[in-house]
Amino acid sequence: MSATPQRHRRTRRLTFAAIAVTAGAGAMVAAALPAGAASGGGAGKSRTVDVQMLSFNDFHGTLEPPQGSSGTVSERQPDGTAKAIPAGGVEYLATSLREARKGHEYSVTAAAGDMIGGSPMLSGLFHDEPTVEALNKLKLDVTSVGNHEFDEGKTELRRMAYGGCHPVEGCFEMGKEFTGSEFKYLAANVTDEKTKRPMMNPTFIWKKGDVKIGFIGVTLEGTPDVVTAEGVKGLKFGDEVETINKYAAELNKQGVKSIVALIHEGGLPANGAYNYDCNTPGAGAGISGAIVDIAKNVDPKVDALVTGHTHQAYACNIPDPAGNPRMVTSAASYGRLFTDTTLTYDRQTKDIVRTAALAPKPVNKVVTRDQPKAPDMTELITRWNALAAPVAGRPMGYISADIAGRGSEAPEKPLGDLIADAQLEATAPAAKGGAQLAIMNPGGIRADLAYKAAGAEGDGVVTYGESYTVQPFNNLMNIVDLTGAQLITALQQQVSGPVNGANPKILQVSKGFTYTLDMTKTGADRIVVDSVKLNGAAIDPAKTYRVAMNEFLAGGGDGFTVLKEHKNKLVGVPDLEAFNAYLAKSTEAAPIAPPAADRITVVK
């Protein structure tokens, strides 16, 4: 459910002393040849040919332009300031990709996972069939799976790939059966626990004429940490590096020397602007996170890494273990960017040329909204909106201003407070669980609440479609017993341990629960234990408290393993139902104001 989890990474057992001498040698043979140099490749054929690769990641079914700050990208200006540019929407993404392909005889489009899952209502209400249809129209060739592809389990993921109507809700359009994806889904490191075989294809070979490029697709090894247990039942998730290296060797045996890895795991650039140069002050110096370790260990046979998961934008050069230049890219999320990369393919070596002069040069490009909309995508959105209209446009409540959630970079988010308060109110009555406080995982907040009307509902009106977009997972509330000591441990797990130590995940908390987060310290010490209070009274480690949370957290998701130790669980209403009930108390005359977000005192 979370967008940016980190997790334990096994110690790398691989060494490259032997392979570094020879790996990638095919790419280096052409070092002195400029693109288009003549060779014995056949009459009229050049030795090298440029292949365009267009890529994106973390689309999350965002067919319509995302609202609020989630619908902009930050552009770094020459004077060092940042400018927010409205971006995204599949009507514009289609136009951007189609324009980019013009004049390119060789063009392949790839993605790095989370195409579906955590989706706005327009797609999520129909189990993401509209998104798969849109991706088919976009001419996506191949994507890796991401953690969100498993939100509804492996059987539903296979339905997305191979087609068929929903097993419970049936076909959504009269007389039309869902046909599945025309692109390839890759899941090289996801195996069936019983058969030990990959649950989906591990590789895909893209061919055009005499040009062949192999793709390997993996998701993060820590997927079970960030998906409900039911979603990954019966599956095993392997180490990304070991898996990629294994299949790179297999592709080489098949004569495929040009290889791209699609990895649903990512990094964190030092600056959030999409045009930030992450090769400053040196190659790959401006990026951190799990992908750096992966990039430094993936076999030099692999020529490029297209990544995702962290929803960040970067186009870096992290040298491979043999010292050759190798691109590592990510195009933010929600279709706001795409990456345009030129791969120089050597027909003689059948490899991508990766010299300093001819290394792949990726550029992240903004999907602006000042360009024409793609008519076929407008028709798709209109058609599915008509099916969703009976429920999507129903008013749920009123707000007085924007309430930042997904778009907020602060540890405590106003929308996070609002959701936690809604969950507490739904579960506080004795008959509903008797909760004393509620906690919410930040990754489960999928959007902002925007004051400006998206349609005809009027400014300040929150529709069902908008509340669904904020909380699309339909997780059941769990009300459980936790000791004060366990509560404190949960707070410490926000900022420590194998999952959250490098990339903290700050739980959103209900009113009355307060504490201090000291970011000048490290690890668990960042939680000032004496400051943790409930309604002004210090938390007693020996006392038992009734705590409300969604079933994902109660199962230990996002690295909060201590929460699995709960007792006396009562299952409550779905989280979206609790949220909508809270919104319904507001009126046009008395709208909900953005919470002050002052429950967590942050020391920087």
Side-chain angles (χ1 to χ4, degrees):
M1 302 301 170
S2 169
T4 56
Q6 304 288 318
R7 41 79 184 113
H8 70 279
R9 184 172 298 284
R10 298 199 295 269
T11 302
R12 303 294 180 200
R13 296 183 296 278
L14 306 175
T15 62
F16 291 91
I19 64 172
V21 177
T22 57
M28 305 307 290
V29 170
L33 287 173
S39 129
K45 281 191 175 182
S46 62
R47 164 89 178 248
T48 61
V49 59
D50 285 344
V51 179
Q52 177 191 61
M53 181 171 67
L54 304 177
S55 59
F56 57 100
N57 51 277
D58 296 277
F59 185 66
H60 291 290
T62 310
L63 299 173
E64 297 178 297
Q67 287 189 298
S69 54
S70 295
T72 64
V73 293
S74 176
E75 182 178 78
R76 197 175 195 182
Q77 304 299 297
D79 63 0
T81 60
K83 177 182 178 182
I85 301 176
V90 77
E91 294 161 296
Y92 304 108
L93 178 60
T95 298
S96 292
L97 294 178
R98 289 164 185 172
E99 285 295 315
R101 291 182 186 123
K102 289 181 178 178
H104 293 273
E105 181 183 356
Y106 297 85
S107 183
V108 59
T109 303
D114 276 8
M115 295 295 99
I116 59 174
S119 304
M121 181 178 175
L122 177 60
S123 186
L125 187 65
F126 305 106
H127 299 277
D128 282 313
E129 288 183 22
T131 292
V132 173
E133 180 186 344
L135 294 173
N136 289 342
K137 290 179 180 291
L138 284 178
K139 300 300 181 185
L140 179 65
D141 291 295
V142 59
T143 183
S144 66
V145 295
N147 55 290
H148 280 283
E149 262 83 17
F150 294 93
D151 283 349
E152 295 190 52
K154 62 183 180 182
T155 301
E156 179 66 1
L157 174 55
R158 287 195 179 104
R159 188 178 77 87
M160 291 292 100
Y162 306 122
C165 293
H166 192 272
V168 176
E169 297 175 32
C171 300
F172 295 114
E173 293 185 284
M174 186 69 67
K176 292 176 71 173
E177 181 169 332
F178 176 60
T179 58
S181 67
E182 295 171 8
F183 53 91
K184 296 296 183 183
Y185 258 123
L186 305 183
N189 67 329
V190 186
T191 54
D192 186 287
E193 287 183 342
K194 291 182 179 178
T195 67
K196 311 301 181 186
R197 295 173 60 85
M199 68 158 289
M200 303 182 89
N201 290 334
T203 62
F204 166 71
I205 301 173
W206 178 83
K207 301 176 183 178
K208 186 174 177 62
D210 59 350
V211 175
K212 291 193 297 186
I213 299 177
F215 289 87
I216 304 167
V218 299
T219 187
L220 68 151
E221 183 186 6
T223 292
D225 295 331
V226 294
V227 176
T228 57
E230 190 63 29
V232 294
K233 187 176 181 180
L235 298 175
K236 182 179 180 180
F237 292 77
D239 180 272
E240 304 96 324
V241 171
E242 291 178 6
T243 302
I244 292 168
N245 291 348
K246 170 187 173 181
Y247 285 104
E250 289 196 10
L251 285 170
N252 263 219
K253 289 178 183 177
Q254 297 173 44
V256 179
K257 306 298 183 182
S258 297
I259 302 173
V260 175
L262 306 175
I263 310 172
H264 192 70
E265 178 63 291
L268 301 167
N271 185 287
Y274 81 89
N275 56 340
Y276 165 69
D277 183 2
C278 52
N279 292 319
T280 302
I287 187 171
S288 60
I291 199 62
V292 177
D293 182 45
I294 292 172
K296 289 180 177 178
N297 285 278
V298 162
D299 195 308
K301 294 184 186 73
V302 177
D303 297 296
L305 312 182
V306 176
T307 75
H309 189 52
T310 57
H311 289 207
Q312 301 297 307
Y314 47 85
C316 302
N317 169 18
I318 301 177
D320 69 20
N324 301 325
R326 185 163 62 189
M327 57 164 262
V328 180
T329 68
S330 174
S333 59
Y334 308 139
R336 294 173 294 162
L337 299 174
F338 69 96
T339 310
D340 191 337
T341 304
T342 299
L343 303 172
T344 300
Y345 182 90
D346 185 329
R347 285 189 164 106
Q348 183 170 306
T349 65
K350 300 180 181 178
D351 209 345
I352 301 300
V353 181
R354 289 196 286 126
T355 64
L358 292 177
K361 295 177 174 59
V363 178
N364 275 329
K365 297 183 176 180
V366 182
V367 177
T368 61
R369 298 183 196 162
D370 58 359
Q371 59 184 317
K373 297 179 179 180
D376 58 334
M377 293 301 180
T378 302
E379 185 277 330
L380 181 150
I381 289 171
T382 300
R383 199 176 83 247
W384 286 102
N385 263 331
L387 291 172
V391 292
R394 197 165 69 235
M396 291 291 104
Y398 300 83
I399 57 176
S400 64
D402 290 350
I403 304 181
R406 189 72 178 186
S408 170
E409 295 183 359
E412 182 181 357
K413 308 172 194 308
L415 189 51
D417 285 357
L418 183 64
I419 291 170
D421 288 348
Q423 294 179 350
L424 176 60
E425 185 162 298
T427 58
K432 303 289 186 179
Q436 296 167 275
L437 69 145
I439 54 177
M440 172 67 191
N441 57 307
I445 307 168
R446 306 304 300 180
D448 301 338
L449 281 182
Y451 176 79
K452 185 175 176 58
E457 73 272 13
D459 291 347
V461 178
V462 180
T463 65
Y464 182 85
E466 290 168 336
S467 65
Y468 182 102
T469 295
V470 168
Q471 290 223 275
F473 298 112
N474 213 32
N475 275 316
L476 293 172
M477 293 303 303
N478 285 188
I479 306 91
V480 303
D481 282 353
L482 291 174
T483 66
Q486 289 171 325
L487 259 179
I488 291 170
T489 297
L491 295 182
Q492 291 171 332
Q493 287 181 344
Q494 299 176 116
V495 290
S496 64
V499 178
N500 299 330
N503 185 28
K505 278 184 211 67
I506 306 304
L507 295 168
Q508 309 299 285
V509 297
S510 57
K511 58 188 175 184
F513 191 71
T514 58
Y515 69 94
T516 296
L517 178 66
D518 188 348
M519 297 303 289
T520 66
K521 296 181 180 178
T522 59
D525 290 339
R526 287 174 167 173
I527 303 302
V528 181
V529 174
D530 292 344
S531 72
V532 184
K533 297 179 180 180
L534 179 61
N535 299 322
I539 290 292
D540 183 347
K543 187 177 177 180
T544 296
Y545 297 85
R546 289 293 279 170
V547 186
M549 66 192 77
N550 60 45
E551 59 187 315
F552 170 67
L553 276 178
D558 273 354
F560 293 98
T561 55
V562 70
L563 297 180
K564 292 194 294 185
E565 300 172 11
H566 64 256
K567 295 180 179 178
N568 299 325
K569 179 174 76 174
L570 176 70
V571 177
V573 299
D575 52 8
L576 178 59
E577 184 176 323
F579 187 43
N580 282 332
Y582 193 81
L583 291 171
K585 294 176 58 182
S586 63
T587 64
E588 189 172 7
I592 295 171
D598 57 0
R599 300 164 190 180
I600 304 172
T601 301
V602 181
V603 179
K604 298 181 180 179

